[in-house]
Amino acid sequence: MYRAMIDLDLDMRQYDCPFIDTTDDVDVAFSAVQWQLDTDAEKLETRLIAKGESAAALDQGLHELRTHPNMRDCYILTKRDNVAQIGTTIEQTNAMRAIQENDGYITGPFRIEDGRERWHVGFDDDDAEDRTLAELERHNDYEVEDRDQFGPTTLFDLLENSDSALRLLEGCRSLTETEQETFEVASKNGYYETPRETTLDELADHFDISKTAVSMNLRRSERKILKAALGAIEGMDDHDEL
């Protein structure tokens, strides 16, 4: 029997999570690097990157985290300015229990900021998904931001080409804020359509800068993205040859 894995992208607010409570009160964000759920001991061990709006905000956030009633252990691995790598052990939350008991599983890293958490959760069938979402709704606040279904072939392709995907992601992240905004506005306004739906002059007016400055910002962003895309393609070609 053919089955496709269901992958949900959830915007979640748990009411018993130390990380969410901390980001409610302090300008700090957490991104998971590694996690391990011990269902027998009802605890979650994590390695996270904590980033504060400032060094003072980071210190305050770590203090709030350590003193939270659902936090068992919180320690600093490395720290520099407003960024730290930390290790934590927290009590199993209601949402974790609901997902685990209904045969769900975490499929990707989670990020916590401004009192909300982005989760990636997988299920093997619709019934498991429905049971979990019904239980989550009773004790948490969430929205399904995206839902995909992957067959074995697609999953295999994603795993085999993860290095290429990472190269492309790193290339996109290398854009400065100005380069990213210029590229996005140009694309959304049809600059790359044939025929073009906007011009450099119109983009210059939009950003209130010179036509030359817009052109340079676009060229820099295009160069970075193209380099990343070519690197990703080369990685795919190398894998195909193997």
Side-chain angles (χ1 to χ4, degrees), residues 60-145:
Q60 183 184 354
L62 295 179
H63 172 74
E64 296 278 345
L65 207 57
R66 290 192 186 99
T67 57
H68 193 282
N70 284 359
M71 179 63 66
R72 293 192 188 181
D73 191 18
C74 177
Y75 52 93
I76 297 174
L77 296 168
T78 61
K79 182 173 178 286
R80 183 176 181 181
D81 297 329
N82 64 327
V83 179
Q85 182 180 4
I86 63 174
T88 66
T89 303
I90 70 171
E91 300 283 347
Q92 183 176 356
T93 65
N94 173 272
M96 295 177 203
R97 185 177 296 107
I99 291 169
Q100 188 273 328
E101 290 181 351
N102 289 289
D103 301 320
Y105 41 87
I106 303 300
T107 59
F110 49 89
R111 176 176 172 81
I112 311 103
E113 188 174 14
D114 296 328
R116 307 291 299 187
E117 187 171 15
R118 183 57 61 95
W119 277 32
H120 302 278
V121 184
F123 302 95
D124 292 327
D125 57 67
D126 294 333
D127 289 340
E129 176 191 7
D130 292 341
R131 290 195 309 271
T132 302
L133 293 182
E135 190 165 338
L136 287 177
E137 193 169 12
R138 287 196 291 270
H139 303 286
N140 304 272
D141 176 32
Y142 75 88
E143 292 183 12
V144 178
E145 296 290 331

Side-chain angles (χ1 to χ4, degrees), residues 28-47:
V28 63
F30 301 98
S31 297
V33 178
Q34 175 271 334
W35 61 95
Q36 180 176 342
L37 178 61
D38 185 336
T39 54
D40 292 331
E42 296 187 338
K43 65 180 183 179
L44 175 70
E45 297 180 2
T46 56
R47 300 289 184 275

Side-chain angles (χ1 to χ4, degrees), residues 175-176 178-183 186 191-192 200-201 203-204 207 209-225:
L175 268 65
T176 66
T178 298
E179 291 166 355
Q180 180 178 332
E181 184 180 4
T182 305
F183 186 70
Y191 181 76
Y192 295 102
L200 284 176
D201 288 323
L203 291 173
F207 290 106
I209 58 177
S210 70
K211 178 179 175 180
T212 301
V214 171
S215 178
M216 289 179 63
N217 289 334
L218 282 177
R219 286 173 181 266
R220 281 194 291 262
S221 62
E222 291 164 357
R223 188 181 303 114
K224 290 178 180 179
I225 292 175

Side-chain angles (χ1 to χ4, degrees), residues 2-7 125-126 129 147-151 154:
Y2 173 80
R3 278 188 176 184
M5 189 194 86
I6 300 166
D7 189 69
D125 57 67
D126 294 333
E129 176 191 7
R147 184 184 189 276
D148 291 307
Q149 286 186 276
F150 301 105
T154 302

